[in-house]
Amino acid sequence: MLRFVVVLLLTFLTLDAKEHQGALAYLNTIRQDAGLIEFKSNTQLDRSAKSHADYLIRHQKNGHYEQRGKSGYTGRAPSDRVLSAGYVSKAVMENITVNTKTFHQSIDTLFAAIYHRFVFLNFDKDEIGIGSAFTKKKQKVSSSFVYDIGSSATAQLCKMDFTMQNGTYYIQNLCKNNSHIVPKYLYEQKQEAHRRKNSRIVLFPYPDAKNVSPVFYTEHPHPLPGSKVSGYPVSVQFNPAFYKKIKLKKFRLFDAEGKAVEKYKILTHRNDKNHRFTTLQFAFMPLKRLEYDATYQVEFEAIADGKRVKKYWKFKTKKPQGIYYKITKKRTELNVKRGERMVFYFEPKSNKDVLRGIYSTGGPDISSLDQNTLLVTIPKKSSAKKIILKAGGRRVTLSVL
């Protein structure tokens, strides 16, 4: 019996490792397509991320902080938890999602959230730990995915010993040992060298990207306070290794017909109420959802250190897999066949219009693709001749042929 348990445990660990490898590969593909170097896997950061993912499930929480005294506690903040896991530097960043079903969905959700996107597209970091946890119980938090991101160069400096010298500035409180000092000039040299491995300018969605989500919902803190649904953000980041001062001149988004998206907000360091943007980061925030399966064009212009920079590029939003219906009327009637797989997109009527209660008759299989889109399948052996679907204050009647 003991031997069986050990083998089973090792099997679970192997499956978990494969999932994490797939998540890292997916994340690195996006980074490379955007012009950034890959993240390397780090065992200590993996341990930290996994412990926090377990904590979030155990205590049904969502966030970056843990409470001392609670079971599974390994540190209040990400910087504390990575030290507990054996990492030597406090200079880390963390991304989290809860209730996403897979790593793929988790990473896509974080890229749709502008502040969390910038964490994944960071110029300074090069190693990552990934952790996840799940529960089959019907609870508020059913899954958690945690990503702890660090710098191997900074970690290396924390392993070196330095003696104070006159005329040299030092950084403290960077390493596990609070009294450990790192020469400021050496830290900046390492940081600069790493940044230069990345592109000068990072555009996202990157040029010719496909299967881009058309929607952004919420994140904490929220860049669009009061909004529950809006369009996918478009961002531009200037690499601080190459640029110092940027003056924005133009930032526009055009739909598939060449018409400019009229309702938007451009976020910059000056107007970001959450003070997360640097002076080298810019985002075009559409205030309405983008369309499915549509090509958008971006026009960006700025004065960078006295020189004009112009960028033009395109990206395409994802195409739903199924017969697609855009629901805009209060009542819609459709003829369908048994076995059909349909996508019903309930176009938001406002920036607060997300689907909550969903009601149906006739036994269709229903799942959510996002908070405005349902995947509906009529079972092949269904005996129902009429199916009624109610969602978002709208009614869809399906006559089954």
Side-chain angles (χ1 to χ4, degrees), residues 2 82 90 125 144 185 244 298 373:
L2 178 60
V82 297
K90 298 179 181 179
K125 310 299 183 186
S144 60
Y185 79 91
K244 302 303 177 187
V298 188
T373 312

Side-chain angles (χ1 to χ4, degrees), residues 22 27 67 70 81 84 108 127 135 156 172 182 279 325-326 329 335-336 351 357 371 383:
L27 177 55
Q67 185 176 338
K70 295 276 189 178
R81 295 192 295 273
S84 176
D108 286 347
E127 54 187 5
T135 179
Q156 189 63 36
Q172 283 187 307
V182 173
T279 57
Y325 297 99
K326 183 177 179 179
K329 298 178 181 179
N335 293 327
V336 300
N351 67 350
Q371 295 181 56
S383 60

Side-chain angles (χ1 to χ4, degrees), residues 335-347:
N335 293 327
V336 300
K337 297 179 181 179
R338 290 177 178 82
E340 279 190 344
R341 175 187 173 101
M342 297 162 289
V343 174
F344 292 99
Y345 166 50
F346 292 78
E347 184 180 45

Side-chain angles (χ1 to χ4, degrees), residues 11-30:
T11 302
F12 284 158
L13 289 175
T14 302
L15 288 173
D16 192 49
K18 285 183 178 179
E19 289 179 358
H20 289 190
Q21 289 171 5
L24 179 57
Y26 180 59
L27 177 55
N28 277 335
T29 296
I30 297 174

Side-chain angles (χ1 to χ4, degrees), residues 210-226:
K210 294 179 175 58
N211 295 315
V212 175
S213 172
V215 64
F216 161 60
Y217 287 104
T218 60
E219 66 178 311
H220 182 74
H222 202 328
L224 299 174

Side-chain angles (χ1 to χ4, degrees), residues 114-129:
I114 192 63
Y115 299 135
H116 293 78
R117 174 191 298 179
F118 287 154
V119 172
F120 274 158
L121 297 181
N122 189 279
F123 291 107
D124 302 332
K125 310 299 183 186
D126 67 346
E127 54 187 5
I128 191 171

Side-chain angles (χ1 to χ4, degrees), residues 178-196:
N178 288 335
S179 63
H180 187 93
I181 56 171
V182 173
K184 186 173 183 288
Y185 79 91
L186 190 55
Y187 172 79
E188 292 175 346
Q189 280 181 6
K190 295 283 187 182
Q191 193 174 49
E192 181 81 358
H194 181 76
R195 288 170 173 173
R196 287 183 174 274

Side-chain angles (χ1 to χ4, degrees), residues 298-359:
V298 188
E299 180 182 1
F300 179 89
E301 185 177 332
I303 303 298
D305 296 334
K307 295 182 179 180
R308 191 171 298 273
V309 173
K310 292 183 179 181
K311 295 290 181 181
Y312 303 92
W313 76 99
K314 295 180 180 180
F315 65 88
K316 189 172 184 179
T317 55
K318 66 175 62 176
K319 180 179 181 180
Q321 300 302 303
I323 303 173
Y324 176 70
Y325 297 99
K326 183 177 179 179
I327 308 300
T328 58
K329 298 178 181 179
K330 194 168 184 178
R331 291 179 178 269
T332 301
E333 296 185 3
L334 299 168
N335 293 327
V336 300
K337 297 179 181 179
R338 290 177 178 82
E340 279 190 344
R341 175 187 173 101
M342 297 162 289
V343 174
F344 292 99
Y345 166 50
F346 292 78
E347 184 180 45
K349 293 174 284 188
S350 71
N351 67 350
K352 293 180 173 61
D353 186 14
V354 295
L355 301 183
R356 297 192 180 280
I358 300 169
Y359 168 84

